[in-house]
């Protein structure tokens, strides 16, 4: 059967292509919908790559390591893991489908906070 000169198979193929295009656009939308990376109020951001996943945010703060840790515990709950090294502390959180790694290190009289979202 023909519909105004177009076969039903052409319509079927067009519908399949349109459906696949819509799925592709939906996947891109989900991929580009990012989890917001909170930062301390006095953050001096020096690197912000949060437009895609994985995301990276780096900043300096005058807050203490303990204050930074408390801030992110309020935001994300208790870390899944916590590793202390001589000059830095790494906190790992799981939020929704994201893993968030926060590294806090001493830099002169400030703390450097590096956040990686994967």
């Amino acid at each position: 059967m023909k519909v105004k000169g177009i076969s039903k198979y052409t319509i079927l193929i067009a519908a399949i292509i349109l459906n696949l295009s819509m799925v592709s656009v939906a996947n891109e939308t989900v991929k580009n919908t990012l989890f917001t990376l909170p930062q301390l109020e006095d953050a001096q951001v020096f690197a912000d790559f949060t437009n895609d996943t994985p995301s990276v945010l780096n900043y300096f703060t005058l807050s203490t390591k303990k204050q930074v840790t408390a801030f992110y515990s309020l935001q994300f709950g208790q870390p899944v893991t916590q590793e202390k090294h001589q000059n830095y502390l790494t906190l790992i959180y799981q939020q929704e489908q994201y893993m968030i790694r926060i590294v806090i290190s001493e830099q002169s009289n400030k703390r450097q906070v590096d956040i990686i979202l994967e």
Side-chain angles (χ1 to χ4, degrees):
M1 176 180 147
K2 293 207 177 218
V3 179
K4 293 190 179 185
I6 300 174
S7 75
K8 63 181 175 182
Y9 299 109
T10 302
I11 294 171
L12 178 62
I13 290 170
I16 291 169
I17 290 171
L18 179 62
N19 190 25
L20 289 174
S21 297
M22 291 173 71
V23 168
S24 176
V25 168
N27 285 340
E28 275 302 307
T29 302
V30 169
K31 182 180 177 185
N32 291 327
T33 301
L34 294 181
F35 190 85
T36 302
L37 296 177
Q39 55 191 306
L40 286 153
E41 200 170 294
D42 71 334
Q44 297 172 333
V45 176
F46 63 89
D48 185 344
F49 302 101
T50 56
N51 294 330
D52 208 354
T53 306
S55 295
V56 176
L57 178 68
N58 307 96
Y59 67 88
F60 292 113
T61 180
L62 292 173
S63 299
T64 65
K65 196 179 287 188
K66 188 174 182 176
Q67 290 169 322
V68 174
T69 303
F71 174 78
Y72 285 106
S73 289
L74 284 173
Q75 301 297 314
F76 304 128
Q78 291 300 313
V80 175
T81 63
Q82 180 173 322
E83 299 174 15
K84 291 181 183 181
H85 297 278
Q86 186 173 356
N87 296 322
Y88 61 92
L89 171 66
T90 302
L91 307 168
I92 298 178
Y93 298 93
Q94 186 73 39
Q95 293 289 304
E96 300 173 17
Q97 73 268 27
Y98 301 109
M99 188 204 52
I100 304 163
R101 180 180 304 120
I102 300 174
V103 180
I104 308 163
S105 59
E106 298 291 327
Q107 301 293 332
S108 301
N109 63 339
K110 298 180 182 180
R111 260 55 53 217
Q112 179 175 326
V113 180
D114 304 312
I115 307 172
I116 300 102
L117 176 126
E118 300 177 292

